[in-house]
Amino acid sequence: IENDYLHAIILPDLGGRLYSLYDKVYGREVFYRNNVVKYGLVARRGAWISGGIEFNFPQGHTCVTVSPVQSHLHENEDGSASVTIGYTERVCRMRCSVTLTLVPNEARLRQDVMLHNPRPLRQRHYFWANSAVPARDDLHLVYPCNRARTLGGEWPYPIVNGRDMSWYRNHERPNDIFALDAQDDFFGCYYGGLDAGLVHWADHRLDFGKKFFTWGTADEGMIWVDLLTDEDGQYVEMQSGRFVDQSTFDFLLPYQTVGWCEYWYPLSGMGGFAWAND
């Protein structure tokens, strides 16, 4: 699907992943685009691939992350174009659908999520949209929080022991960083050398989770470059989720449906940013 500003490629045969979002104005990929399908032993069934946006429900790196899912391409009354991908999780029978939409005259990708429990029992779940962006020394991660949960515990953010952890280059070791006290609806990143970046927006009352993950710059993390790609280099994950971290679940009640809207959009020519709305 595409409009005057963006061109999106979605792959229903690989979990419904957003493979590419191309900024036609600036002439660049908005996310990390991996030009090979190279499976790594990461996901629940073993195989996993990097790049774009992966949709995870009811748990992380879900069982269908590289399997075919149902899809529907449709044109809407307002002239927008959408792709809906969805699946039924085969153990709990819960259902998930994600609709990705490009609207005329809007330089942003809309993401509508719907989760449904069709059974008479409550069932636990979470949802995370796991995006990837290129890892570069000038990558600045803009997260509106003062505290974060990492693999080493809870810390002030972004300054930890005199180091600014909002810069990718300051992470030697693999790490998950979850925003703990964010009351704003955005997060994103910016590349100083490219003068371009990315914003994610969602109502934090419905979709609170704000995370980034890095393999780190040391050798133990850089081995994943060869394991997951051929020539596209390292990446950093930027994730949005229902709950504060990926150890936190909640229950979908019997026959309950929940849904919300998120946006992803590129920035350029701004010299960075500190705040964003939808």
Side-chain angles (χ1 to χ4, degrees):
I1 56 175
E2 71 179 304
N3 62 15
D4 289 342
Y5 303 103
L6 297 169
H7 177 269
I9 299 174
I10 297 97
L11 302 180
D13 284 348
L14 288 172
R17 170 183 303 264
L18 175 79
Y19 175 67
S20 165
L21 184 66
Y22 187 75
D23 182 348
K24 295 162 67 173
V25 176
Y26 196 73
R28 63 180 289 269
E29 291 286 341
V30 178
F31 297 100
Y32 172 85
R33 174 170 173 160
N34 191 346
N35 288 292
V36 298
V37 174
K38 193 171 185 179
Y39 298 115
L41 296 177
V42 175
R44 295 212 160 222
R45 292 167 59 206
W48 185 80
I49 60 173
S50 62
I53 306 178
E54 169 199 30
F55 304 108
N56 291 281
F57 171 82
Q59 70 285 104
H61 300 316
T62 185
C63 295
V64 298
T65 187
V66 290
S67 294
V69 296
Q70 294 176 304
S71 65
H72 179 58
L73 174 66
H74 42 111
E75 187 172 347
N76 307 307
E77 292 183 357
D78 62 358
S80 63
S82 302
V83 174
T84 298
I85 63 98
Y87 58 90
T88 298
E89 208 280 335
R90 295 187 181 184
V91 175
C92 64
R93 311 306 294 172
M94 288 192 293
R95 299 166 183 164
C96 171
S97 73
V98 177
T99 299
L100 300 174
T101 302
L102 291 178
V103 175
N105 302 316
E106 291 188 8
R108 61 182 182 175
L109 178 73
R110 177 175 173 136
Q111 173 183 308
D112 289 285
V113 181
M114 186 173 67
L115 312 176
H116 175 59
N117 176 14
R119 300 183 65 192
L121 304 171
R122 69 174 190 165
Q123 302 195 76
R124 77 173 202 158
H125 79 289
Y126 73 21
F127 178 93
W128 285 83
N130 176 17
S131 78
V133 296
R136 293 168 41 116
D137 284 348
D138 62 343
L139 171 58
H140 186 217
L141 296 145
V142 184
Y143 280 65
C145 64
N146 296 309
R147 293 196 62 80
R149 180 171 295 131
T150 74
L151 294 178
E154 293 187 11
W155 300 89
Y157 183 87
I159 307 300
V160 179
N161 296 325
R163 305 191 74 187
D164 188 343
M165 305 311 289
S166 66
W167 291 92
Y168 161 72
R169 61 177 178 261
N170 289 333
H171 293 267
E172 286 87 7
R173 301 285 181 246
N175 207 352
D176 293 309
I177 295 90
F178 296 94
L180 292 182
D181 57 354
Q183 297 300 311
D184 286 300
D185 297 323
F186 78 96
F187 65 85
C189 69
Y190 210 84
Y191 297 91
L194 298 175
D195 199 11
L198 166 69
V199 166
H200 172 273
W201 183 94
D203 186 334
H204 73 280
R205 296 165 298 181
L206 302 175
D207 192 52
F208 180 85
K210 297 171 174 61
K211 171 195 173 181
F212 68 88
F213 167 79
T214 171
W215 291 109
T217 59
D219 290 345
E220 65 184 276
M222 296 305 289
I223 62 171
W224 286 94
V225 175
D226 291 334
L227 291 173
L228 293 172
T229 190
D230 286 347
E231 299 177 352
D232 292 302
Q234 189 61 281
Y235 65 94
V236 172
E237 294 174 3
M238 296 172 45
Q239 301 193 29
S240 70
R242 283 273 285 161
F243 311 121
V244 64
D245 61 29
Q246 289 167 331
S247 298
T248 301
F249 290 76
D250 199 355
F251 288 94
L252 281 179
L253 299 178
Y255 311 114
Q256 183 182 13
T257 298
V258 297
W260 67 93
C261 170
E262 309 179 40
Y263 290 101
W264 305 86
Y265 61 86
L267 303 173
S268 59
M270 295 182 63
F273 73 99
W275 186 85
N277 61 18
D278 61 338

